[in-house]
Amino acid sequence: MLKDSKFSSHLLHLSQLQIINHKTLDEYRDRLKTYEDYLWFGKPEKISAIECARRGWACQASDSIECMNCHAQILAQLPSVLKIDEYTESIENTARSLVDSHHRYCVWKFMIIPESIIQLTDIYSNETINKFIQEAEEFLSQINQIDIVGQLKTLFHIEPTDFDLLSSTHLNDSRLLSAFKIVVFCWKLKNSLLTCDKCCREIHIDINHLVFDPILSHRAWCPVLKNNQWKKRIEQIENILHEKSRHKLEEIKTTHDQTEQILPDIISTQNLFHELISSKEYYRSCVQSTFVDNTSTSDDMDHSTKNSMST
Ligand SMILES: [Zn+2]
Ligand SMILES: [Zn+2]
């Protein structure tokens, strides 16, 4: 084994970690991808794939993980859940070793990928929704037909008109709506590979016709599914859209109120118009009767003329 001083010079240090932030996140996602369900199976939350990966560990074999920086290793074969005490103790020990097993100078002994990267962030603004709409547009540019299946088909109520309130670019496009329902649940599409930003599940898709369940396609331990965070996200989006709709309706109402101020004039004009109509009808009836009278006069005249001519 290398001496501490020599060994530590090979290790990633805290200052480096702060500088190479993007690289650090990419490496975190690379580690996360190694946790195949059949390798890291049935692990509780304390030692889940995410908890291990965010502390520098990658899965190397069945129940076996290794630090990608100091190369320490942990074997986590849990006893049966029926032996509850042993099982709980084993989980506690493994959870502790996620920190303790790192080399004393390994950065992952002190560092952890922050919660904000792992969890779904709350959505409070139209700007975030507009960002998702842009992502959905990019998503659509790569794909022909999308069919959403599963709970989102009925649970997520967005009307195409809701988008009209937020984005002036288009709308009434059901394809955009479907793409939106995919991107808001952390799916990114690149070269026919659909990847979850949170659990790093990768799915090869048919870009001509995507039939997709944006929720159940996540890995069982994905933060999107944890504590029904996906339902919370739906609620937040619906609230923003409905709030926006309400503002829009208030605007319309204000315009309507202004309209109401001039409405009496219109109504009085309408009444006048009706009066005019009745007057006109009265006038017409008068004219008609006059016309009838005239006709009879004319007939009389004709008759008299005829008589005079015949005479
Ligand atoms: Zn380490
Ligand atoms: Zn996921």
Side-chain angles (χ1 to χ4, degrees):
M1 190 159 173
L2 292 165
K3 293 266 186 225
D4 275 355
S5 56
K6 200 174 174 186
F7 186 74
S8 65
S9 67
H10 293 278
L11 294 178
L12 190 63
H13 286 273
L14 201 59
S15 56
Q16 285 174 283
L17 200 63
Q18 282 161 350
I19 294 164
I20 54 168
N21 206 12
H22 281 291
K23 189 167 174 272
T24 308
L25 291 182
D26 285 345
E27 285 172 355
Y28 160 69
R29 292 194 176 107
D30 284 343
R31 289 194 298 275
L32 204 52
K33 283 176 197 170
T34 63
Y35 289 81
E36 296 291 349
D37 290 339
Y38 64 92
L39 292 177
W40 199 247
F41 179 74
K43 300 288 189 281
E45 200 185 319
K46 272 189 171 177
I47 55 169
S48 69
I50 285 185
E51 290 307 313
C52 299
R54 69 189 290 213
R55 288 175 172 83
W57 304 93
C59 191
Q60 299 298 79
S62 184
D63 298 323
S64 173
I65 54 177
E66 180 178 329
C67 172
M68 292 291 94
N69 193 36
C70 72
H71 300 289
Q73 291 183 339
I74 298 174
L75 189 65
Q77 285 172 328
L78 300 178
S80 163
V81 283
L82 296 174
K83 299 173 184 171
I84 189 70
D85 291 342
E86 271 181 59
Y87 178 77
T88 312
E89 195 187 343
S90 179
I91 291 166
E92 293 299 329
N93 289 341
T94 310
R96 262 196 306 276
S97 65
L98 290 181
V99 177
D100 297 345
S101 294
H102 286 290
H103 183 273
R104 60 195 290 198
Y105 294 124
C106 178
V107 71
W108 293 111
K109 207 174 183 75
F110 317 101
M111 271 293 294
I112 186 168
I113 297 292
E115 194 77 15
S116 58
I117 300 291
I118 289 156
Q119 303 303 340
L120 263 72
T121 46
D122 289 331
I123 300 175
Y124 296 113
S125 67
N126 309 330
E127 284 71 29
T128 315
I129 293 187
N130 279 332
K131 205 180 102 245
F132 283 133
I133 293 174
Q134 279 172 6
E135 279 182 36
E137 286 169 353
E138 281 168 33
F139 193 97
L140 276 187
S141 68
Q142 303 177 62
I143 217 148
N144 294 329
Q145 191 184 339
I146 305 175
D147 284 329
I148 297 291
V149 293
Q151 296 184 74
L152 284 198
K153 229 181 149 184
T154 50
L155 261 185
F156 202 178
H157 300 293
I158 308 174
E159 298 296 328
T161 47
D162 288 337
F163 284 153
D164 285 335
L165 300 173
L166 296 169
S167 164
S168 57
T169 48
H170 33 294
L171 296 141
N172 291 325
D173 184 348
S174 61
R175 284 170 73 242
L176 181 82
L177 217 65
S178 300
F180 181 82
K181 286 182 177 184
I182 294 173
V183 298
V184 296
F185 295 107
C186 310
W187 295 101
K188 304 256 188 290
L189 180 62
K190 198 177 177 186
N191 303 329
S192 78
L193 188 68
L194 203 50
T195 309
C196 168
D197 218 19
K198 298 293 179 185
C199 67
C200 296
R201 176 96 191 260
E202 293 178 327
I203 301 170
H204 287 276
I205 59 157
D206 176 3
I207 55 165
N208 288 317
H209 187 186
L210 171 64
V211 180
F212 194 63
D213 183 335
I215 303 301
L216 288 188
S217 300
H218 290 282
R219 293 161 109 170
W221 42 263
C222 181
V224 173
L225 303 182
K226 192 180 162 189
N227 301 330
N228 281 332
Q229 285 209 45
W230 63 278
K231 284 187 180 169
K232 196 173 148 200
R233 175 154 281 196
I234 290 176
E235 250 173 55
Q236 288 171 344
I237 291 172
E238 285 181 345
N239 282 345
I240 293 169
L241 290 173
H242 294 164
E243 196 177 323
K244 192 73 187 170
S245 302
R246 215 166 34 242
H247 284 157
K248 193 75 184 173
L249 285 173
E250 273 164 16
E251 264 176 44
I252 292 167
K253 195 174 171 294
T254 312
T255 317
H256 182 69
D257 286 348
Q258 285 167 357
T259 313
E260 272 184 347
Q261 284 171 5
I262 58 166
L263 211 56
D265 289 342
I266 293 172
I267 291 168
S268 66
T269 310
Q270 275 182 335
N271 287 341
L272 186 64
F273 183 67
H274 281 297
E275 281 168 23
L276 278 173
I277 287 174
S278 5
S279 310
K280 197 177 174 185
E281 275 167 0
Y282 173 73
Y283 174 75
R284 188 179 285 158
S285 67
C286 291
V287 168
Q288 210 159 11
S289 66
T290 314
F291 179 75
V292 170
D293 287 343
N294 282 347
T295 311
S296 79
T297 314
S298 159
D299 278 354
D300 288 349
M301 271 183 74
D302 280 348
H303 186 69
S304 68
T305 315
K306 273 179 189 170
N307 285 342
S308 76
M309 280 177 74
S310 65
T311 325

